[in-house]
Structures are given as C-alpha cells and as structure tokens.
Amino acid sequence: MASPEIEALTQALARLPGLGPRSARRAVLHLLKKREAALGPLRAALEAVDERLETCATCGNVDTANPCAICADPRRDQRSLCVVEEVADLWALERSRLFPGRFHVLGGRLSALEGIRPEDLAIDALVTRIEAGGIDEVVLAMNATLEGQTTAHYLADRIERFPVRVTQLAHGLPVGGELDYLDEGTLAQALRARRPV
Amino acid sequence: MASPEIEALTQALARLPGLGPRSARRAVLHLLKKREAALGPLRAALEAVDERLETCATCGNVDTANPCAICADPRRDQRSLCVVEEVADLWALERSRLFPGRFHVLGGRLSALEGIRPEDLAIDALVTRIEAGGIDEVVLAMNATLEGQTTAHYLADRIERFPVRVTQLAHGLPVGGELDYLDEGTLAQALRARRPV
Ligand SMILES: [Zn+2]
Ligand SMILES: [Zn+2]
C-alpha cells in the first residue's frame, strides 16, 4: 500500500473533474517520477494561486487584485455589463477579446434539479450594480442550456424595471452548448448578433 | 484572459497524464470555486508528498522513510525479491497483499523506441542486491507488453549466473496488459502460477 501522503494526494486529485481514481494514481506516479519537472511546478503553481488570488468583490472574477484588472481598467466600457454563469465563461469571452465592457459572474445557474435558487447566485449583487446606474446595456451570456436560459429569463424579469437594454447572446450557439467549449468564431458571431430579450 | 497564476496552474495540470488543456482548465475552475474543500487539501497533499516522501535507496519505492517501510519490515521474506517496472506496480502488488517478500523498482522498462537502455534503469543495483546474497527467488513482475517481456529476458540473462530461482508472473495476463490496471484476482492467479523463466 502506498503511504498516507500518497493516498491523500491521490484522493485530492481524484476529486478533480475529469480525473478518476485510476488516472489520479497515474498522475501521482508521474509527479513522483518527475519531482523537479512536474511536482515542483505544480506545487508552486497551486501555492501561487492559493496565496495570491482572490475573488473580485465587484464582479466575481478571480484575480491577484480586488477589484480585478478588468473592473479597474478605465479603458473598459463601463456602460456595458456582461453577465456570465462562471469565471470560466468570463475567461472564454476575454480570450476572444470581443467584449469591451465589464463582467458579472453569477457563480452558477438556477437549477431546480440541483436546488440552486436565486439567493444562491450573485443576483442581488447584479441588481445592486444596475441600480447604482451608469450601465446602458446588460448582456446575458448564459449557456445555451435549459438551465442557462431559465436563468436568463429570470434575470431579464428582475432587470426589467431598470432603464437598461437587456440583450442575450444570439442563438447560433449549438443546442446544449456551453460557452467555455465554443470556438472563437462561433462566440464572435453569437456576440455580434446579440438581440434584446 | 486569466491571470498568470491561473495560466501556470492550468499548464502544470495539463501536463499530467490523463488531463488535457481543456480538462485542466475545468479542474482549475473547480479548484477556484472550492478553495477550502478542494484547493486547500490538494495543496496540502502536494506539500506533504513533496516534503515528506523520498525514494528508498534500497528498492526504489517511495515512502516517508529511507529505507522504506517494506525494506525495513523484518516480517517480510528477505529471500524473495519481486522486480517491477514502476512504483505503481509495487503498489498494485501491495494492494493485493499477495507477495510476502521485498521489491526492486527498475524505474521503467527497456525500450529501443524510446532509447531506454539498461544503464537508464536500476539494473546494476538489482544485480548488486542479488550478488550480496541471501536471496533465493527473484520474481520478474514485468508488464505483459513486448517491452516488459524484453526487459524480463534481459534481466534473466543478467541474473543467470547467480544461485537464485528466477520466475516470472504467469501469462494469464491479458496481452498488452499493464500490472497497474489488473484486478486483484487476475494478479493473484498470475502470481500463484509463476514459473521459471
Ligand atoms: Zn472585477
Ligand atoms: Zn525499500
């Protein structure tokens, strides 16, 4: 039997999405064989993330600064706010460099199945941001899933009373598609063709 | 774009076997969302492995002690030595609790394709251990792959001159099968039916 340290590392890795117990064990073996080339860098990277990164209190992005670099950047269009489910969706949009405004990360989507309710997401914070004024357009960039669209409609209802244009990504997105998995072209097209909800 | 810290962590994870860039990104997102439940434990586990584990100078096992717990255990049969390719194979055999002796980890197998030669593996150290005496049987527990079997034959030739019984795992192993992927029953059968080389 491997040592408790190795078992603990195997279990911690096995809990990552995309890695099961078997591949976690392989990964641990790899790390042990390549201590300087693999274990060292992974450890350092984890420590850096754990020590330096925090969640932006304004938008929910994860960055070394709070407010994050996007929120603090005066060149970003402050009148345009893009609402996403997850930080990964924000990253996907940032990689495409297509959206000039700022973001708001909900931290998930409404889900009756998983019992995720409006109060479990950063929806009140979104309403507060919009209420504070200065925003002309809110782009709802939810995933093109049933739950994503339910969330978008719920948000549209909540935002309705404010003098902002509410749009959502054009439905050229593949059905069931998740933002983070889309190529840049599809994402660009969907963003260009965004329409009022 | 995500911060350099996140990019570095994504890249370090993407280099693990079984994780590509996409799943590494998912894993990082998961770690960022579950900082206390996932990132903290993974970081602690990596630190513990990095700080506490060393390679046993005798057998090549990885443990908190050197010599390792297996080498230091007086109840293990010192006359029986099981040679494996990787530490993971040692773990697989230890999980099965079938082998009462000690181990010798080669650190790989001979491979013309990958340019892995005898001097790249812990073969001289194996010969030295056998030469020192006190060993009656050497079990060659290589993978049932072409390279594993080539390695076993090479080792059998090198060990021939010593007064030890050289056996190998019975070939009930599935062709191309790797030790670490076998169920315990198959492993038990193969070990019970081991035969002289
Ligand atoms: Zn921010
Ligand atoms: Zn040892």
Side-chain angles (χ1 to χ4, degrees), chain A:
Chain A
M1 206 64 98
S3 76
E5 289 81 5
I6 289 171
E7 289 302 324
L9 179 56
T10 307
Q11 281 171 29
L13 282 171
R15 275 187 230 106
L16 293 180
L19 272 180
R22 184 77 72 182
S23 45
R25 200 169 286 281
R26 292 256 131 192
V28 169
L29 175 71
H30 175 81
L31 291 170
L32 288 171
K33 279 196 84 168
K34 314 265 180 187
R35 286 184 76 137
E36 279 174 36
L39 199 156
L42 179 57
R43 179 186 170 179
L46 262 178
E47 285 173 358
V49 162
D50 198 20
E51 273 160 24
R52 291 191 216 140
L53 293 191
E54 46 190 327
T55 299
C56 176
T58 306
C59 75
N61 188 15
V62 175
D63 200 0
T64 44
N66 179 7
C68 72
I70 295 172
C71 284
D73 186 347
R75 292 161 305 178
R76 308 277 310 205
D77 182 0
Q78 312 204 17
R79 285 165 320 206
S80 195
L81 189 65
C82 181
V83 184
V84 293
E85 296 180 19
E86 301 282 6
V87 173
D89 302 328
L90 185 160
W91 296 347
L93 283 158
E94 275 302 273
R95 278 196 300 276
S96 76
R97 293 161 202 262
L98 291 163
F99 185 71
R102 296 184 178 176
F103 291 95
H104 191 87
V105 180
L106 294 176
R109 68 278 174 283
L110 297 177
S111 169
L113 206 64
E114 294 172 36
I116 299 172
R117 298 153 305 172
E119 55 265 40
D120 300 319
L121 305 175
I123 293 176
D124 284 345
L126 173 65
V127 171
T128 303
R129 281 182 86 177
I130 295 167
E131 206 161 22
I135 294 170
D136 293 340
E137 179 183 9
V138 175
V139 182
L140 301 176
M142 269 67 257
N143 288 320
T145 57
L146 184 60
E147 290 176 338
Q149 294 310 300
T150 302
T151 307
H153 284 116
Y154 176 85
L155 292 176
D157 282 349
R158 287 284 298 269
I159 298 169
E160 206 179 22
R161 62 193 168 102
F162 299 110
V164 295
R165 198 158 67 98
V166 181
T167 59
Q168 66 180 8
L169 294 188
H171 279 181
L173 312 194
V175 172
E178 299 192 318
L179 272 199
D180 191 30
Y181 283 88
L182 291 182
D183 64 290
E184 207 170 298
T186 311
L187 210 52
Q189 200 172 27
L191 193 67
R192 268 197 308 272
R194 65 185 186 264
R195 55 180 180 72
V197 178

Side-chain angles (χ1 to χ4, degrees), chain A residues 22 43 51 53 180, chain B residues 22 35 43 51 53 180:
Chain A
R22 184 77 72 182
R43 179 186 170 179
E51 273 160 24
L53 293 191
D180 191 30
Chain B
R22 184 78 72 183
R35 286 184 76 138
R43 178 186 170 178
E51 275 161 25
L53 292 192
D180 192 28

Side-chain angles (χ1 to χ4, degrees), chain A residues 10 18-30, chain B residues 16-19 84-96 109 141-145 169 172-188 190:
Chain A
T10 307
L19 272 180
R22 184 77 72 182
S23 45
R25 200 169 286 281
R26 292 256 131 192
V28 169
L29 175 71
H30 175 81
Chain B
L16 292 180
L19 270 181
V84 293
E85 297 181 19
E86 301 281 6
V87 173
D89 302 327
L90 186 161
W91 297 346
L93 282 159
E94 276 300 274
R95 279 196 300 276
S96 75
R109 69 277 175 281
M142 269 68 257
N143 288 320
T145 58
L169 295 188
L173 313 195
V175 173
E178 300 191 318
L179 272 199
D180 192 28
Y181 282 89
L182 292 181
D183 64 289
E184 209 171 297
T186 310
L187 210 52

